[in-house]
Amino acid sequence: MKLSFNRTSLGALMGSLGLCLMFVAAPMSASAAAAPAAEAAPAATGAKFGMVWRIRGEVTASKVGAPVRKLREGDPVYVGERLRAGGEAEAVLRTDDAGVVAVRPNTEFVAERFAAEDKPSDGFAVRLVTGSLRLISGWIGQTNRSGHVVVTPSATIGIRGTDHEPYVPSPELAKQSSNPEGTYDKVNRGGTTLKVGENKVDIDPGQVGFARNPPKTKDRALLTILLPVLLDKVPSFYVPGEFDTELDRYSQNADQEAKRLLEQKRKTPGAAAECAPVDIAKTWLAQLDGAIAKGDAQGVIAMFAQDAKVKANVKEKDGKMASVDLTRDELAQSTITAIKGLKDYRQRRVWTDARLVDLAGSAACDNISLRSAVVEQGKQSGKPYRFESLEQFVLVQRGGKWLAIKAETTQQ
């Protein structure tokens, strides 16, 4: 829904969000406003495994010593976290090497390892406990195939540059579908190798491999049934996911996209060290947040390009989302008005993620897309507020300075 405001009302609207876009949500109660920003569940920390690209239903991430997180689009997932998807839930994660991890309903897996630095130590590893994943490998699958693995209770799956679907059905699902318990792997593109000890079977597109769960007894006569094999048909429990149409399209060009990102990383000597999108994004946001905290409206405005486009998605009193679009001139006037009435401002960035983007055919280190979740509180014109929002910016380097040419905030 589009809304129209005059300058006075727009300035008041923008004043209730301390961050640069300064858009207000529906009025909040005094008790909610008084809650400290630290109430928001802290995100896990450590090496990043991927970022949530698509999600439906409840998918959680947990790690020893940290609270369970209910994932949302744009959230990071960290190495060491255990992800669980409910019976009607799905998610798609993107990894920094252009890979994809699609999480199916009733699935549990652990993000064991991820490193994409264009080094021999690069690797990708997940431990699938139960359920199913769809994996589209990124450039790690091209440069270090031996380091790209899926581990299940009964087998290990290696790849040959691929789009495949490992599946560990629950005992109930296996019985219901009249299939034995174990590890299944269906290949859509490329190829995989299903291994049990020293025994293995190669799986080509359109085929499904299977490795039976080991028996509870130690009867060596049963060892022959444990050898990985190819099945005659695809088990009935393989069904398309909510996002598979989109994933099918992505898979067609996944190898080219992975190659493009890798070439971009290798474009200039030392590029990996000189062009660190996340570090640049955090520095830019720190400057922005600092200008707001100091009440420096002109400092905020100076961080946006003349042709910047700004958008906010905010909740109205009835809970519906409303959309507001601004030019830089409107942003400038409203920011000045908003900062004048801003008091006791505090904010905490829960997470920040950034990556290089290709604008107008340029793959150089001068275009960055960043996303950041923030919790804010303060007083605007004497009225307290507190809320969370997801912010997205596109930064370009002009005249040696990083400027935002696009900004969008969405109240959570």
Side-chain angles (χ1 to χ4, degrees):
M1 178 174 63
K2 295 289 183 181
L3 301 180
S4 177
F5 298 94
N6 59 36
R7 286 188 173 184
T8 302
S9 61
L10 185 57
L13 175 73
M14 296 181 69
S16 293
L17 186 105
L19 205 56
C20 74
L21 305 184
M22 299 187 181
F23 292 98
V24 67
M28 301 183 180
S29 66
S31 59
E39 280 185 359
T45 57
K48 192 181 76 170
F49 176 81
M51 187 172 67
V52 179
W53 184 30
R54 299 285 186 267
I55 195 164
R56 173 178 70 93
E58 183 167 309
V59 181
T60 62
S62 62
K63 194 172 184 178
V64 176
V68 175
R69 299 189 296 131
K70 183 177 179 180
L71 296 176
R72 298 177 296 192
E73 186 174 315
D75 282 356
V77 172
Y78 297 96
V79 171
E81 289 195 297
R82 180 181 293 261
L83 272 69
R84 294 182 176 89
E88 301 295 327
E90 295 184 58
V92 180
L93 312 180
R94 292 285 299 270
T95 56
D96 285 347
D97 68 333
V100 167
V101 179
V103 188
R104 308 300 202 188
N106 291 313
T107 291
E108 179 177 339
F109 81 97
V110 180
E112 296 278 11
R113 182 171 184 270
F114 184 81
E117 300 297 332
D118 191 24
K119 298 178 180 178
S121 58
D122 286 356
F124 170 100
V126 299
R127 177 162 51 88
L128 180 58
V129 180
T130 187
S132 179
L133 303 171
R134 179 175 178 179
L135 303 174
I136 302 175
S137 59
W139 53 258
I140 292 175
Q142 300 175 14
T143 62
N144 188 20
R145 291 179 178 178
S146 63
H148 198 294
V149 297
V150 178
V151 179
T152 75
S154 61
T156 299
I157 303 171
I159 70 163
R160 290 174 279 150
T162 191
D163 173 353
H164 70 121
E165 300 178 51
Y167 209 132
V168 178
S170 66
E172 296 77 15
L173 179 58
K175 183 177 180 180
Q176 179 184 356
S177 61
S178 300
N179 288 286
E181 295 179 39
T183 297
Y184 297 78
D185 192 41
K186 179 168 75 75
V187 173
N188 302 317
R189 179 180 58 81
T192 63
T193 300
L194 184 62
K195 300 178 182 179
V196 178
E198 297 300 319
N199 302 298
K200 64 182 180 179
V201 62
D202 290 334
I203 310 169
D204 293 324
Q207 296 180 327
V208 179
F210 171 66
R212 188 184 298 268
N213 279 351
K216 296 180 181 179
T217 65
K218 297 184 178 180
D219 187 349
R220 295 184 60 85
L222 297 177
L223 291 181
T224 56
I225 69 172
L226 300 181
L227 297 178
V229 297
L230 294 176
L231 301 181
D232 295 332
K233 61 180 182 179
V234 178
S236 59
F237 47 69
Y238 273 105
V239 295
E242 173 76 12
F243 307 106
D244 270 31
T245 299
E246 189 172 8
L247 292 177
D248 289 342
R249 291 195 298 267
Y250 182 82
S251 182
Q252 293 176 4
N253 301 303
D255 289 345
Q256 294 89 330
E257 174 63 11
K259 183 178 180 181
R260 185 189 70 81
L261 281 185
L262 182 57
E263 289 177 348
Q264 176 179 291
K265 192 175 186 69
R266 295 172 171 174
K267 188 171 184 180
T268 58
E274 296 173 6
C275 187
V278 174
D279 292 341
I280 293 171
K282 288 182 177 180
T283 299
W284 189 87
L285 289 172
Q287 182 180 347
L288 179 65
D289 295 341
I292 295 167
K294 292 186 293 185
D296 182 7
Q298 293 299 329
V300 172
I301 296 166
M303 299 188 69
F304 289 79
Q306 291 288 341
D307 56 347
K309 302 297 182 183
V310 182
K311 182 176 183 179
N313 305 298
V314 297
K315 290 182 180 178
E316 296 186 296
K317 292 181 179 180
D318 59 4
K320 295 182 179 180
M321 298 299 292
S323 177
V324 182
D325 293 299
L326 295 175
T327 65
R328 183 182 183 275
D329 289 342
E330 290 172 325
L331 173 68
Q333 184 62 43
S334 302
T335 300
I336 293 171
T337 302
I339 284 185
K340 287 181 179 178
L342 185 63
K343 302 293 183 182
D344 301 331
Y345 174 71
R346 286 190 292 161
Q347 60 97 265
R348 178 173 65 86
R349 291 198 174 274
V350 182
W351 58 264
T352 296
D353 185 70
R355 63 182 62 200
L356 298 179
V357 294
D358 187 350
L359 297 179
S362 172
C365 184
D366 53 11
N367 303 296
I368 291 177
S369 172
L370 79 87
R371 297 160 65 91
S372 184
V374 63
V375 180
E376 306 173 62
Q377 69 179 51
K379 292 181 180 179
Q380 176 60 37
S381 300
K383 296 182 179 180
Y385 70 90
R386 178 184 182 275
F387 58 88
E388 302 176 31
S389 59
L390 173 65
E391 298 175 353
Q392 303 177 76
F393 301 88
V394 175
L395 307 181
V396 298
Q397 197 169 37
R398 293 179 179 175
K401 182 179 180 181
W402 288 100
L403 299 174
I405 61 170
K406 183 178 180 181
E408 182 172 353
T409 183
T410 301
Q411 183 189 354
Q412 303 296 295

